[in-house]
C-alpha cells in the first residue's frame, strides 16, 4: 500500500487517500518529480484520467503505476506512464530512487477504519491497520493477490517480535488496541503468530485482531489459542461445497464456524457463485450451504477472472471473456464478465441479490449475529480463573455493551419474525448477566432507532454508501 511505501523511502513523499479530482490536481500542480498512482481493475478509468491530467498539468513529472490494476493487458499503452510496479512496491520504489532495497521495513501509522456508522449512528474508537506482509503461496486460480506476488509471500514483519513491536508503536502513537491485519493468510505462519501471543501474554497486552485466514491455516492451532490471541473477526474463503479447494480439504466447515463463534470470534464465510460447475439446479446447493453455516457475515462473490490470474488466462484461451463489459464492472458484485454455460450476466445479478436476501431472511442482521457471538464467548469465559482470559472476558463485555442499544431496534425492525424473536431472547440474556438496561442504554437505543430509520430513508433515496473523506 502507498502508506507503506512512503514510510520506507527517504525521499519526501505525500500520500493522498481518496482525494477529489480537484485536490489531486492542486497537489500535482506543485511540481513533484514523480506521481505514483495505485489502482485496482475497476478503477481503470479513474487512473487513466488521473494520469492524463498529470501529463497536462505537470508534463515533466514522471508517472509510476502500481496496484492490481497494472495486471491489465497493455496497461502501459492504455494509461500514460513512465514505469509500472508489479508486486512489492517498497522494493520497487527503493530501487527506483537508488535506495537500499533490503533496508529494514518501517511500519506506518494508518487507521483501518474511519467514518464508521452503526445503524446510521456514528461510532467512535480507533483501530489501526497492521500490514505484516503481501501475497499468499496457496495459488488459488482466481486469486489476484497470489498471482500478483508470484505465488509467494513477501513478509514485511518477519517475526512475532516484529509484529508485537509494530502493534506497540501503533498503540503508543494512535492509542489503538484493535488491529485489522492486511495480510492474505496471517495464520499460515504459525511460529510468528505464537511468538506474538507469547509476547502479548508476557506484557499483558489485551489486543484484538481482525484477519483473513484459510481453513487449513486455522487447523494448525487449537481454537482456544485463537481466542487467547484475541481474534475477534475471521474471514474464511469457503468458496463452494461441491468444488472443494485444496485449502479446505478435510475441513468440517459447519463445525469450524460454530466453534469459532462459540469462542466469541465473528466469522465471515465467503463463497463464489457461477463457478464452471454451477447450473440452475445446483447453484442453490452452494447458496444454501453458505447460508447454513450460520456465520456472522456471508459474502457471495461472483467468479471474477481478473487480469494476471490463472483463471483469466484460462478463460481468455477459451474465448469466454466479455471485453465489451468495461473494467469498471469487473468487481464481482454486479454482473459476470465472462460467458457461462448456464447464466447470462443479467441473470447473475439477480441470483447474487437472491443469495444475499436469503442469508438475511434465514440468519437475520449481521449485527444480531455478532452480538450473539460475543455473548457466547463471554459466557464461555464466565468461570475462567486465568487472569489473561479474564481480560478477554472484559473486552467481550465491552463489545456486548456497545451492541446493547441495537437489540430493541433489531427486535422491531428485523425483516423476519425469527430474527426479531432472537433479538428478544438475546435481550433476556443481557439482563440475566448485566441487569435491566440502564436509562442511558435506553436513551441510546431510542437514538439508534431514529438514526436507523434515517439511514433507511437515505439509502432508499440516495442509494449510495458514504464516501470517505480525503
Amino acid at each position: 500500500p502507498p502508506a507503506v511505501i512512503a514510510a520506507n523511502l527517504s525521499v519526501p513523499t505525500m500520500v493522498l487517500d481518496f482525494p477529489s479530482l480537484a485536490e489531486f490536481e492542486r497537489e500535482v500542480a506543485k511540481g513533484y518529480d514523480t506521481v505514483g498512482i495505485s489502482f485496482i481493475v475497476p478503477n481503470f478509468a479513474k487512473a487513466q484520467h488521473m494520469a492524463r491530467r498529470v501529463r497536462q498539468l505537470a508534463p515533466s513529472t514522471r508517472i509510476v503505476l502500481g496496484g492490481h490494476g497494472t495486471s491489465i493487458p497493455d496497461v502501459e499503452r492504455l494509461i500514460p506512464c513512465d514505469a509500472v510496479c508489479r508486486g512489492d512496491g517498497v522494493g520497487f520504489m527503493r530501487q527506483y530512487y537508488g535506495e537500499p532495497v533490503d533496508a529494514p521495513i518501517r511500519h506506518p501509522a494508518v487507521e483501518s477504519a474511519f467514518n464508521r456508522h452503526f445503524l446510521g449512528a456514528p461510532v467512535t474508537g480507533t483501530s489501526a491497520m497492521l500490514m505484516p506482509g503481501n501475497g499468499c503461496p496457496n495459488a488459488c486460480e482466481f486469486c489476484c493477490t497470489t498471482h500478483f506476488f508470484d505465488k509467494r509471500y513477501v513478509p514485511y514483519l518477519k517475526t512475532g517480535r516484529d509484529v508485537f513491536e509494530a502493534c506497540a508503536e501503533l498503540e503508543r502513537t494512535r492509542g489503538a488496541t484493535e488491529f485489522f491485519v492486511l495480510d492474505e493468510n496471517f495464520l499460515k505462519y504459525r511460529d510468528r503468530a505464537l511468538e506474538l501471543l507469547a509476547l502479548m501474554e508476557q506484557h499483558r497486552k489485551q489486543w484484538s485482531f481482525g484477519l483473513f485466514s484459510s481453513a487449513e491455516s486455522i487447523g494448525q492451532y487449537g481454537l482456544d489459542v485463537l481466542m487467547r490471541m484475541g481474534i475477534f473477526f475471521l474471514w474464511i474463503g469457503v468458496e463452494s461445497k461441491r468444488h472443494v479447494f485444496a485449502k479446505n480439504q478435510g475441513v468440517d466447515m459447519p463445525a469450524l464456524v460454530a466453534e469459532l463463534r462459540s469462542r466469541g470470534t465473528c466469522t465471515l464465510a465467503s463463497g463464489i457463485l457461477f463457478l464452471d460447475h454451477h447450473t440452475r439446479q445446483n447453484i442453490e446447493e452452494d447458496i444454501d450451504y453458505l447460508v447454513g453455516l450460520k456465520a456472522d457475515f456471508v459474502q457471495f462473490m461472483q467468479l471474477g477472472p481478473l487480469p494476471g490470474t490463472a483463471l483469466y488466462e484460462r478463460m481468455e484461451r477459451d474465448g469466454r471473456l466479455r471485453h465489451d463489459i468495461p473494467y469498471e464492472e469487473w468487481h464481482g458484485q454486479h454482473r459476470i464478465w465472462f460467458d457461462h454455460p448456464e447464466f447470462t450476466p443479467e441473470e447473475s445479478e439477480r441470483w447474487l441479490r437472491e443469495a444475499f436476501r436469503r442469508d438475511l431472511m434465514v440468519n437475520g442482521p449481521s449485527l444480531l449475529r455478532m452480538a450473539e457471538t460475543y455473548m457466547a464467548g463471554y459466557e464461555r469465559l464466565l468461570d475462567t480463573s486465568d487472569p489473561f482470559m479474564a481480560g478477554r472476558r472484559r473486552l467481550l463485555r465491552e463489545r456486548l455493551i456497545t451492541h446493547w442499544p441495537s437489540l430493541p431496534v433489531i427486535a422491531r425492525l428485523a425483516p423476519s419474525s425469527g430474527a426479531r424473536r432472537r433479538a428478544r431472547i438475546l435481550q433476556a440474556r443481557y439482563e440475566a448477566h448485566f441487569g435491566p438496561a440502564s436509562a442511558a442504554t435506553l436513551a441510546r437505543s431510542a437514538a439508534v432507532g431514529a438514526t436507523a430509520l434515517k439511514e433507511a430513508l437515505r439509502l432508499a433515496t440516495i442509494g449510495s454508501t458514504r464516501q470517505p473523506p480525503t
Side-chain angles (χ1 to χ4, degrees):
V4 179
I5 296 172
N8 287 279
L9 292 176
S10 62
V11 176
T13 305
M14 169 65 75
V15 177
L16 295 182
D17 258 334
F18 307 109
S20 67
L21 182 60
E23 289 169 324
F24 174 72
E25 291 178 344
R26 280 197 300 270
E27 198 67 35
V28 167
K30 293 179 181 179
Y32 288 85
D33 60 54
T34 304
V35 169
I37 301 174
S38 179
F39 69 107
I40 57 175
V41 172
N43 285 341
F44 165 79
K46 290 183 181 180
Q48 186 183 59
H49 185 69
M50 291 166 72
R52 287 172 176 171
R53 291 299 290 150
V54 173
R55 286 286 191 252
Q56 292 166 355
L57 295 169
S60 63
T61 295
R62 298 188 298 272
I63 299 173
V64 177
L65 303 179
H68 290 288
T70 60
S71 297
I72 291 173
D74 295 326
V75 71
E76 297 94 334
R77 180 178 58 83
L78 298 171
I79 299 179
C81 64
D82 300 283
V84 177
C85 167
R86 296 181 175 92
D88 173 34
V90 173
F92 180 93
M93 292 306 296
R94 281 176 167 174
Q95 186 174 38
Y96 182 85
Y97 280 113
E99 299 185 12
V101 173
D102 297 326
I105 295 291
R106 296 183 295 274
H107 196 285
V110 180
E111 292 183 14
S112 67
F114 48 87
N115 198 25
R116 293 190 292 181
H117 286 72
F118 185 95
L119 288 174
V123 178
T124 59
T126 300
S127 59
M129 189 74 76
L130 185 69
M131 295 171 264
N134 279 319
C136 177
N138 279 5
C140 297
E141 77 159 352
F142 58 83
C143 178
C144 54
T145 303
T146 191
H147 291 89
F148 194 70
F149 293 97
D150 297 324
K151 303 177 186 177
R152 61 193 179 94
Y153 181 68
V154 181
Y156 291 153
L157 305 175
K158 297 180 180 180
T159 67
R161 181 166 292 280
D162 291 340
V163 178
F164 179 86
E165 290 175 353
C167 291
E169 181 66 10
L170 289 166
E171 182 179 32
R172 187 186 69 80
T173 58
R174 290 296 180 110
T177 57
E178 179 182 303
F179 307 95
F180 189 84
V181 184
L182 193 62
D183 188 299
E184 196 76 7
N185 203 349
F186 178 75
L187 293 177
K188 193 172 186 70
Y189 306 96
R190 184 174 182 271
D191 291 346
R192 181 177 63 179
L194 293 180
E195 183 184 11
L196 169 62
L197 174 57
L199 289 165
M200 288 167 56
E201 292 177 326
Q202 178 185 338
H203 295 276
R204 298 188 294 279
K205 293 294 186 182
Q206 290 289 341
W207 294 332
S208 300
F209 301 93
L211 47 84
F212 304 89
S213 180
S214 60
E216 45 91 16
S217 294
I218 296 170
Q220 302 179 91
Y221 309 81
L223 295 187
D224 288 337
V225 172
L226 302 188
M227 187 181 192
R228 195 172 190 86
M229 194 179 296
I231 298 174
F232 70 93
F233 174 84
L234 197 55
W235 181 310
I236 303 174
V238 176
E239 318 311 5
S240 170
K241 176 185 179 181
R242 182 178 288 260
H243 179 85
V244 181
F245 290 82
K247 62 185 179 182
N248 294 330
Q249 289 178 1
V251 176
D252 185 339
M253 202 66 73
L256 176 61
V257 171
E259 288 296 320
L260 286 166
R261 293 190 70 197
S262 75
R263 288 165 171 79
T265 299
C266 294
T267 306
L268 186 152
S270 178
I272 301 176
L273 301 181
F274 313 109
L275 292 160
D276 285 347
H277 72 271
H278 278 149
T279 66
R280 284 173 169 73
Q281 289 70 43
N282 69 28
I283 195 170
E284 294 203 51
E285 180 182 3
D286 265 348
I287 293 173
D288 289 339
Y289 177 66
L290 265 291
V291 171
L293 293 177
K294 300 184 185 301
D296 300 87
F297 305 88
V298 174
Q299 174 185 272
F300 292 101
M301 201 74 175
Q302 295 162 334
L303 182 66
L306 286 168
T309 64
L311 175 64
Y312 178 94
E313 293 174 1
R314 175 167 66 83
M315 288 199 171
E316 182 79 318
R317 285 196 308 270
D318 295 344
R320 294 174 58 188
L321 290 177
R322 293 281 301 272
H323 291 291
D324 58 318
I325 297 177
Y327 286 129
E328 293 93 306
E329 296 295 327
W330 289 32
H331 53 69
Q333 285 295 311
H334 186 208
R335 296 175 179 176
I336 56 176
W337 57 93
F338 61 93
D339 290 326
H340 193 284
E342 294 281 334
F343 302 95
T344 67
E346 293 74 20
E347 288 172 332
S348 73
E349 180 182 6
R350 293 195 294 271
W351 276 96
L352 183 69
R353 287 183 176 275
E354 167 57 22
F356 279 114
R357 189 201 67 83
R358 191 175 304 183
D359 176 60
L360 175 63
M361 297 306 296
V362 171
N363 292 319
S366 286
L367 285 175
L368 173 61
R369 302 181 225 178
M370 292 170 68
E372 290 173 329
T373 294
Y374 293 146
M375 181 62 78
Y378 176 80
E379 291 175 339
R380 191 182 190 94
L381 294 176
L382 277 177
D383 298 324
T384 185
S385 59
D386 182 333
F388 192 77
M389 295 308 290
R392 292 290 180 218
R393 183 181 61 213
R394 287 192 295 274
L395 288 178
L396 285 166
R397 186 183 188 279
E398 291 173 7
R399 291 182 184 275
L400 285 167
I401 297 302
T402 299
H403 278 255
W404 200 343
S406 72
L407 293 182
V409 182
I410 294 171
R412 293 196 309 273
L413 301 180
S416 69
S417 59
R420 295 192 293 270
R421 182 175 62 254
R422 281 165 45 209
R424 292 192 294 270
I425 292 171
L426 187 56
Q427 282 181 277
R429 290 166 70 186
Y430 265 81
E431 293 181 1
H433 291 300
F434 311 131
S438 66
T441 297
L442 293 174
R444 285 196 295 271
S445 182
V448 169
T451 59
L453 291 172
K454 182 180 179 182
E455 183 79 353
L457 179 63
R458 189 185 71 82
L459 290 171
T461 54
I462 300 176
S464 65
T465 56
R466 288 180 173 80
Q467 293 301 309
T470 302

